[in-house]
Amino acid sequence: MEAEQALEETNAARELAEGLPEQLAALRERVGEERTAIEHAKNKATGTSAMAKLDALRGASAMYAERLGLRFEYGEAERLRLVFKYVDARAPEREFTFAVRLRGTAYEVMECAPMLASIDALLAECNRSNDFGKFVRDARKAFVELANGDDGVGALASPRASAGRATRSNSRR
């Protein structure tokens, strides 16, 4: 009786073992399909997210252009020129510009027109904090002060910040 039971168990195990390679192949194929589906979904989500970010940046750029007259111009030698309009209430179309480039890990002002007395201090603060957005906002504020008859320094420049830490080129326009 024990021998018959052992024989039945052996036959059942043999039948199970004969089907295992096919089951294993089917499972491997299913895992591959699921991996492909997951990778596709991941790529789609990342692409959608990247496109959404790009669309948001384009929208913000258009808003800044419309409301602040801000325009970005990319030039040679990795130069980024920012052009502001709507700074001077008496001449809203007058353009105020500065151009920067990255030299190593620090920004360098290549051009500033009209020249701001506080540009060195603003640049030094930007290089210290690595907050380029604040630098752009502060430069615009300084242009507004200059257009309104102030000397362009105002409260934006501190004596400590303008102690020569800023880097500027002599090729200003």
Side-chain angles (χ1 to χ4, degrees):
M1 188 133 185
E2 286 181 28
E4 285 179 22
Q5 197 175 23
L7 185 59
E8 285 179 23
E9 288 177 8
T10 303
N11 287 337
R14 192 173 293 140
E15 288 174 13
L16 182 63
E18 288 173 359
L20 282 179
E22 293 170 359
Q23 290 177 350
L24 182 60
L27 287 173
R28 284 184 177 157
E29 184 178 337
R30 185 173 172 194
V31 167
E33 290 170 356
E34 288 181 7
R35 281 186 179 157
T36 302
I38 290 171
E39 190 66 30
H40 179 70
K42 180 181 168 185
N43 289 341
K44 185 176 179 182
T46 302
T48 302
S49 174
M51 290 304 292
K53 287 178 185 176
L54 182 59
D55 288 343
L57 288 172
R58 285 181 178 150
S61 178
M63 182 191 70
Y64 289 132
E66 177 185 332
R67 295 188 180 160
L68 299 176
L70 177 60
R71 185 174 77 242
F72 297 96
E73 298 173 352
Y74 300 97
E76 55 190 54
E78 298 179 358
R79 176 178 155 151
L80 173 64
R81 185 171 187 241
L82 289 88
V83 181
F84 295 97
K85 289 175 29 178
Y86 316 137
V87 171
D88 187 345
R90 293 170 299 214
E93 294 300 313
R94 179 179 173 202
E95 292 185 345
F96 294 75
T97 65
F98 68 88
V100 296
R101 71 176 173 182
L102 199 56
R103 173 82 46 152
T105 60
Y107 290 99
E108 176 182 26
V109 172
M110 305 299 297
E111 168 190 348
C112 185
M115 179 53 73
L116 294 172
S118 61
I119 196 69
D120 286 334
L122 296 174
L123 183 64
E125 175 61 21
C126 176
N127 285 327
R128 185 194 64 73
S129 68
N130 197 27
D131 189 347
F132 187 73
K134 182 178 183 323
F135 173 66
V136 172
R137 290 187 304 272
D138 288 347
R140 187 177 192 286
K141 286 177 191 175
F143 282 137
V144 169
E145 290 175 4
L146 183 65
N148 290 325
D150 196 355
D151 63 359
V153 178
L156 296 175
S158 69
R160 191 173 67 84
S162 61
R165 293 186 339 199
T167 305
R168 289 197 310 182
S169 171
N170 292 331
S171 62
R172 295 246 163 66
R173 292 181 207 177

